[in-house]
Amino acid sequence: MGVLTGRTALVTGAGRGIGRGIAERLARDGARVAVHYGRSEAAAKEVVAAIEEAGGSAFALGAELGGPGDAEGLWAEFDRHADGLDILVNNAGIGSSAPIEEIGEEEYDRVFAVNVKAPFFLVAHGMDRLRDGGRIINISSGLARTAAMPHNIAYAMTKSALDVFSRDLSKVLGPRGITVNSVAPGVIDTDNTAELLHGSEDSWARVAAFSALGRVGETADVADVVAFLASEGGRWITGSWVDVTGGSLT
Ligand SMILES: NC(=O)c1ccc[n+]([C@@H]2O[C@H](COP(=O)([O-])OP(=O)(O)OC[C@H]3O[C@@H](n4cnc5c(N)ncnc54)[C@H](OP(=O)(O)O)[C@@H]3O)[C@@H](O)[C@H]2O)c1
């Protein structure tokens, strides 16, 4: 029996990167996990197979996010597999890294659509499925609180908006015993950060030096914190912004 046995979790963007780490961790704690993917169907199915092989329970759930009606589409698909939800992790996200004068309106709209609009409407259309006492965890970024990478300005703005969402939603859902928090990673080794970490010979060491702990973050560093917030131990934490940057902001 794990601490999340009997719970159902949905992790968006769980076919790879941080989302995969979170899905596998929640499954290890006993949750049945909906492994959502946008384009990475084969990868998501691999995650499901890995979870099942380890004795857990999961299913894959495909839905592009960020466009009109996408959230309703995801929930319609979810309803074919499960009849309620205890933990929603809004992890799917995209980056935007360019000087402000090079960011076109299309890119601006896209990064806001995927990083802000999608979680907003997933919650708006999914609140009835979320059981009382549940958890919502929004994956933000340390960049919401530091200007260390000013070319990520549009991306950082989306994560700040997501943080306001976490804060205000915690008041909306508090009466139902549902906690809502932002988890803010620093640089984590994923596809998303490949260029940043491997772009030149000294990139890895430079990024490692951002953190007080002198290393680059791993997906498990984030997944462990999400798992705690999702557990009974996280019951009195809500409306919070949890720094998981290894001390990059200190
Ligand atoms: N890596 C870092 O250093 C870091 C730091 C701070 C915050 N974060 C945040 O952590 C989250 C995960 O980052 P990551 O590094 O793991 O990213 P990643 O490796 O690039 O993976 C992104 C995930 O988001 C999904 N996704 C993107 N756009 C989508 C869309 N339109 N519809 C549906 N799914 C979509 C992808 O799914 P498919 O592949 O199936 O399309 C993929 O699973 C993001 O919100 C990111 O902003 C990352």
Side-chain angles (χ1 to χ4, degrees), residues 13-19 36-40 63-65 91-94 110 114 139-141 155 159 185-188 190-193:
R16 55 201 180 89
I18 293 173
H36 162 266
Y37 63 89
R39 296 183 183 164
S40 304
E64 190 66 23
L65 292 174
N91 165 79
I94 55 174
R110 182 77 189 142
V114 176
I139 305 301
S140 175
S141 167
Y155 170 78
K159 295 301 187 179
V187 178
I188 305 292
T190 67
D191 296 345
N192 198 12
T193 51

